[in-house]
Amino acid sequence: MPPFPLAGWLDRLPETRRPRLVLSLLCLLLWAPGLWTIPAGDRDESRFAQATRQMVETADYVRIRNGEVERNKKPVGIHWAQAGIVHALEAVGVPARDQIGAYRLAGAIGAWLAVIATFSLGRGLVGRRAAFLAAAALAATMLLVVETHIAKTDAALLATIVAAMGLMGRAYLSPATFGTRSAVWFWLALGAGVLLKGPIAPMVPLLAGVTVYVADRGWRSGVPWLRALRPIWGVPLMLACALPWLVAIGIATEGRFFAQAIGDDMLAKVGSGEEAHWGPPGYYLLSFGIAAFPAAFLVLRAVTDAWSNRLRPATRFLLAWAIPTWLLFEAVATKLPHYVLPAYPALFLLAGAWATDPLHRAAPRWLAWLGWASLWGTGIGLAVACIALPVVADRALLPTSLLALPAAALLLWGVTTAIRDAAWPRAVLAAALLSVPLYWVVLEGTLPHLRAPWVSTRVAALAAANGVPPERLGITGYHEPSMLFATGAALNLIQDGEGAARFLAGAPGRAVAVEGRQAERFRAEAARIGLSPRAIGATDGFNYVRGRRVAITLYAAG
């Protein structure tokens, strides 16, 4: 295999004088493709974005609503962040309210802050070079790249957790020099996390704290790091960040928010696989090679060495950060890939420390082979899936998707040559930088150009082309949240074909979109009431949430 031509440059990159600028440029290259061009997805993304848009339109920044329905699941933090970005963009003349990319920016900015915090705060735990490698690996991780392209909470939540855990690590290693200002930032970060996703943010340092307390036999040696964090006034400060909104939402919903958010959402996920997202224990371990691509190979090689060095304070703290959080989510019945994302920065910091340690222990052969399987299997699989997806979904070959093969080959060549030379820092940076072309092909060259998955945008375009405003448009048989975001909160969601016929006959100028499974009932009811519907447009596609094809016809009164 020929040598990689950028090897020398990659070897010098961790020593750059502007590490935050380099990491910021890397984030931009990795996350920019598809951010504005991939249509709104189902279901969570469209629900979050639509709720924020209704906040902007109604200036009600307390209640969270999706159409006419209260969305009492998550706190308001991400909606405030998204609304702030929409207002800022519109203030400078960018029409952002109806653009899904504007709502995704909140998560992308949060992910960027998480990457910068991994480097800035991780230096005190593993050193500058290792923290730089960890931040670069985190930025390129497939799971985080996907989260930046979904307008919801988890990428922003990661920023608050990394900031809090980085500061907690400082308190653990050097409690005597941990000042009041650092403690204030620690509790403010957790307060922001509470506003984003309730107890998840404080849960991570709580589990880590209990773990190091037990590991250090804190009942004998004391817990100076806990005193350094100033919890006596810190916990009230954290709660004060969210308390005003919690009081306001409790009054506005007459307590329904707490009943539904805690009982119907959080506890339901613990006890059962909510919304068909059940997974067995071990789900996250089995999927790690894909979720952490392209740098999963390094974590797999580093884990045994990290465990062997668990008596080192920094290593012990990072293990206490990652392992309890990981095990907790493995035990929860509902499984979604992003649940364990808060553990990823700690894992990459451990991997970065291993990569920069010339005396590190070699990984067992079986873990090394798992690393190769993760790198090559996911790289080739992603390229093949990119080419096959347009063929399966649209029954056509998309020429730009073919670029996924050379992009994947470039990535695998660069990383493999670095691993062959045992140049582990170079391997990490090659994985991060050379994943950029592959992500561009997938996120910009393929997904936005698909036809079948983006049904809602085409139905909305049909209605607009025929001059039908949302308040005069009804739809039956296809009620995915992206339909509401594509048209607006005034869209009329109709239960069945009979209701669609009666809606169409109810007032002049109306139109109704009827999915094929409701067409017979629609026509029968139209005939019964003497209505002669006229088809003015049609489209079809694939409802990937339900796993079935749909055919939708737009009718006006004859």
Side-chain angles (χ1 to χ4, degrees):
M1 185 176 291
F4 188 67
L6 298 178
W9 179 73
L10 290 176
D11 290 339
R12 295 189 298 272
L13 191 57
E15 308 300 335
T16 177
R17 295 180 180 179
R18 296 180 176 84
R20 295 175 186 83
L21 176 61
V22 172
L23 289 170
S24 299
L25 291 175
L26 177 63
C27 292
L28 180 63
L29 291 172
L30 286 164
W31 305 338
L35 197 69
W36 291 80
T37 54
I38 298 175
D42 285 311
R43 293 177 170 154
D44 277 354
E45 176 174 58
S46 293
R47 287 170 175 163
F48 275 98
Q50 176 60 27
T52 301
R53 183 167 66 178
Q54 289 181 219
M55 278 188 176
V56 172
E57 292 171 346
T58 63
D60 181 354
Y61 294 97
V62 174
R63 291 180 295 176
I64 306 170
R65 302 180 66 84
N66 194 274
E68 297 300 319
V69 179
E70 290 181 347
R71 183 164 169 77
N72 295 326
K73 287 179 173 287
K74 302 291 189 298
V76 76
I78 193 63
H79 299 290
W80 285 354
Q82 291 172 341
I85 290 172
V86 170
H87 282 305
L89 290 173
E90 292 187 341
V92 296
V94 178
R97 192 166 303 186
D98 299 328
Q99 299 295 320
I100 189 62
Y103 301 89
R104 290 171 178 160
L105 275 179
I109 293 171
W112 169 70
L113 292 173
V115 169
I116 298 301
T118 298
F119 168 73
S120 299
L121 299 174
R123 291 179 300 173
L125 294 168
V126 296
R128 185 181 188 275
R129 294 182 74 244
F132 184 86
L133 297 179
L138 178 65
T141 298
M142 187 187 297
L143 182 56
L144 188 59
V145 171
V146 171
E147 286 301 314
T148 60
H149 290 75
I150 304 176
K152 57 187 186 70
T153 57
D154 295 280
L157 176 69
L158 183 65
T160 67
I161 292 176
V162 175
M165 293 305 295
L167 290 167
M168 184 179 178
R170 285 185 177 181
Y172 180 70
L173 294 182
S174 183
T177 60
F178 191 79
T180 302
R181 180 179 299 180
S182 297
V184 169
W185 282 113
F186 171 79
W187 294 107
L188 288 178
L190 291 182
V194 171
L195 267 177
L196 285 166
K197 209 169 183 178
I200 301 300
M203 179 201 75
V204 178
L206 177 62
L207 290 174
V210 171
T211 303
V212 295
Y213 176 80
V214 173
D216 292 342
R217 294 178 173 84
W219 57 89
R220 296 179 181 176
S221 59
V223 281
W225 56 268
L226 183 60
R227 291 192 297 271
L229 291 173
R230 282 85 165 177
I232 293 177
W233 54 260
V235 173
L237 176 62
M238 175 187 71
L239 296 176
C241 294
L243 189 60
W245 177 78
L246 291 173
V247 172
I249 193 64
I251 295 171
T253 63
E254 299 177 342
R256 292 187 299 275
F257 176 84
F258 301 107
Q260 295 173 18
I262 297 174
D264 297 344
D265 186 55
M266 186 175 70
L267 295 181
K269 288 178 179 177
V270 173
S272 61
E274 189 189 47
E275 297 181 354
H277 294 311
W278 178 86
Y283 168 89
Y284 297 113
L285 191 62
L286 294 173
S287 61
F288 178 77
I290 298 173
F293 173 85
F297 71 91
L298 194 72
V299 177
L300 293 171
R301 289 175 181 268
V303 289
T304 55
D305 185 70
W307 184 253
S308 298
N309 293 319
R310 62 189 179 276
L311 295 181
R312 296 177 181 174
T315 303
R316 175 174 292 190
F317 176 78
L318 291 172
L319 290 171
W321 174 353
I323 293 175
T325 296
W326 192 288
L327 292 177
L328 176 69
F329 285 117
E330 289 283 17
V332 171
T334 301
K335 298 287 197 301
L336 285 170
H338 61 264
Y339 283 2
V340 293
L341 185 58
Y344 275 45
L347 295 175
F348 283 125
L349 285 168
L350 290 169
W354 181 87
T356 55
D357 181 5
L359 301 179
H360 65 235
R361 294 178 177 85
R365 183 171 297 180
W366 66 274
L367 276 176
W369 278 109
L370 282 179
W372 285 115
S374 165
L375 177 66
W376 280 80
T378 308
I380 294 173
L382 187 59
V384 171
C386 182
I387 296 171
L389 186 59
V391 176
V392 174
D394 295 344
R395 299 186 174 93
L397 182 65
L398 185 63
T400 54
S401 69
L402 297 174
L403 295 173
L405 284 177
L410 177 65
L411 168 64
L412 296 175
W413 171 46
V415 178
T416 301
T417 54
I419 294 176
R420 180 198 61 188
D421 297 335
W424 299 107
R426 186 196 310 164
V428 178
L429 295 176
L433 289 169
L434 298 180
S435 63
V436 170
L438 183 57
Y439 285 138
W440 271 84
V441 173
V442 175
L443 298 171
E444 191 66 48
T446 302
L447 292 182
H449 303 286
L450 296 177
R451 180 183 179 277
W454 317 125
V455 178
S456 299
T457 55
R458 294 200 306 281
V459 175
L462 277 178
N466 286 277
V468 183
E471 62 271 14
R472 294 182 178 272
L473 177 65
I475 188 166
T476 186
Y478 181 79
H479 289 175
E480 294 303 332
S482 60
M483 192 68 234
L484 202 61
F485 183 78
T487 55
L491 176 68
N492 298 276
L493 302 177
I494 305 170
Q495 184 175 358
D496 51 33
E498 291 91 341
R502 292 191 293 271
F503 171 83
L504 187 59
R510 286 182 173 179
V512 65
V514 180
E515 202 277 319
R517 292 170 180 81
Q518 294 291 333
E520 185 175 344
R521 299 173 67 178
F522 168 74
R523 287 191 291 266
E525 180 66 12
R528 190 188 70 81
I529 62 177
L531 177 70
S532 300
R534 172 174 55 91
I536 57 175
T539 188
D540 61 2
F542 184 73
N543 184 342
Y544 52 87
V545 175
R546 295 187 176 272
R548 66 189 188 192
R549 291 198 169 268
V550 293
I552 298 175
T553 304
L554 185 65
Y555 291 96

